[in-house]
Amino acid sequence: VDEALSQFQKMGGERPSEAALLECGRLISDNWRAQVLAHLGAQPVGAEEVAGLDAEARAVLDRQPEVAYGATLLAVAATGDWVAYLQLGDGDILSVDESGAARRPLPADPLLSGNRTTSLCQPDAWKQMRVMVEPGRPALITLSTDGYANSFATDEGFLQIGGDYLEMVRKEPDKLADGLQSILTEATEQGSSDDITLALLYWAKPESRKRNSASWFWRTLVAVLCTLLLAAWFLVLPLLRVPPLPPSPRAPVPPKAAQVP
């Protein structure tokens, strides 16, 4: 995951070609393998870790110990103008349009067979990666491990989650965030009994963004006008004050009459 993030960030904001995206996949694969071999050198596979394996599996690890680290990979890079998809092995990436219709942007892996999958531990794994770069952007993208799709009786049932998640994230995003773990737990308990990892990438609808921008503009304009009016009031207020009138002259007090003894 760290290596995929690192290489995708290095692509920058320019739309890559599919050849460039596949080269990015090669770097991910090569660097992943280098890190695995370094970890194996520092921490070899222990006897207790292979105690439950049969003879065939142990023989595979003896020849190719990086198999113990084997992993599939689903990755997406997205901007406002394009989306790049990369996948190795099983799992599912769904692209969901504004109406809620979901599709798989990448072709199926012809090498998948039952629970056997292509993986980063294979030599030249990058050559088995499937890539696609598309203009524009969908309303929602989902990435999930195979335990999710395998929890549904039909592929149509699984594709329906695209529209369901789009509706939930639009209407009740906080409720979805709080309840996502229970949703996935229920799915696997009633389906594959496998672990599930799910990632969602969502954009607000264009009209919603326009409304929000307009609302922000008017709120800001009103705030600025109120500030200007208040400042003007304090500046003009001294000019509007009527200066106090001078005191009225007091009438002269007549002198007291002299008292004659």
Side-chain angles (χ1 to χ4, degrees):
V1 171
D2 291 341
E3 192 58 42
L5 287 173
S6 174
Q7 295 302 327
F8 268 48
Q9 289 168 351
K10 291 176 182 178
M11 289 194 302
E14 294 296 326
R15 178 180 171 181
S17 65
E18 292 185 359
L21 186 57
L22 194 58
E23 173 64 14
C24 179
R26 185 188 67 78
L27 293 173
I28 293 171
S29 176
D30 290 350
N31 293 346
W32 176 90
R33 180 175 294 275
Q35 294 183 53
V36 165
L37 294 177
H39 187 267
L40 274 169
Q43 186 177 328
V45 177
E48 68 281 2
E49 295 179 281
V50 298
L53 299 180
D54 58 28
E56 180 182 358
R58 292 191 187 196
V60 170
L61 281 180
D62 288 340
R63 295 193 309 268
Q64 193 179 357
E66 61 268 29
V67 168
Y69 297 75
T72 57
L73 177 64
L74 300 95
V76 171
T79 71
D81 301 317
W82 54 265
V83 182
Y85 303 93
L86 181 148
Q87 181 171 354
L88 174 67
D90 55 22
D92 298 273
I93 299 178
L94 299 183
S95 172
V96 187
D97 65 21
E98 294 288 347
S99 70
R103 66 181 179 88
R104 289 183 175 86
L106 293 171
D109 186 343
L111 299 178
L112 298 184
S113 177
N115 290 327
R116 301 180 68 86
T117 178
T118 48
S119 167
L120 282 168
C121 66
Q122 295 174 308
D124 294 331
W126 66 275
K127 294 181 179 180
Q128 308 304 329
M129 292 181 179
R130 291 161 283 155
V131 298
M132 176 75 71
V133 181
E134 293 183 332
R137 66 184 185 194
L140 177 75
I141 298 173
T142 74
L143 301 88
S144 57
T145 51
D146 65 315
Y148 206 1
N150 291 341
S151 295
F152 289 81
T154 65
D155 192 53
E156 290 74 15
F158 172 68
L159 291 176
Q160 183 61 41
I161 71 166
D164 293 342
Y165 278 120
L166 179 60
E167 183 177 3
M168 285 188 284
V169 78
R170 280 175 172 171
K171 294 182 178 179
E172 300 176 304
D174 294 335
K175 184 177 179 180
L176 173 60
D178 293 337
L180 187 57
Q181 182 173 351
S182 60
I183 292 173
L184 299 180
T185 299
E186 181 180 357
T188 187
E189 286 179 348
Q190 297 180 2
S192 66
S193 298
D194 193 2
D195 61 284
I196 298 174
T197 299
L198 172 68
L200 302 174
L201 179 59
Y202 168 71
W203 291 271
K205 295 176 65 175
E207 55 267 28
S208 299
R209 291 196 299 273
K210 290 178 181 178
R211 284 198 299 268
N212 291 339
S213 297
S215 176
W216 176 87
F217 171 78
W218 287 113
R219 287 198 304 268
T220 304
L221 181 60
V222 169
V224 170
L225 289 176
C226 288
T227 303
L228 291 175
L229 287 174
L230 189 61
W233 172 252
F234 281 110
L235 289 173
V236 174
L237 185 61
L239 302 179
L240 298 178
R241 291 177 177 169
V242 178
L245 296 174
S248 301
R250 298 176 63 183
V253 178
K256 292 182 179 180
Q259 293 183 355
V260 178

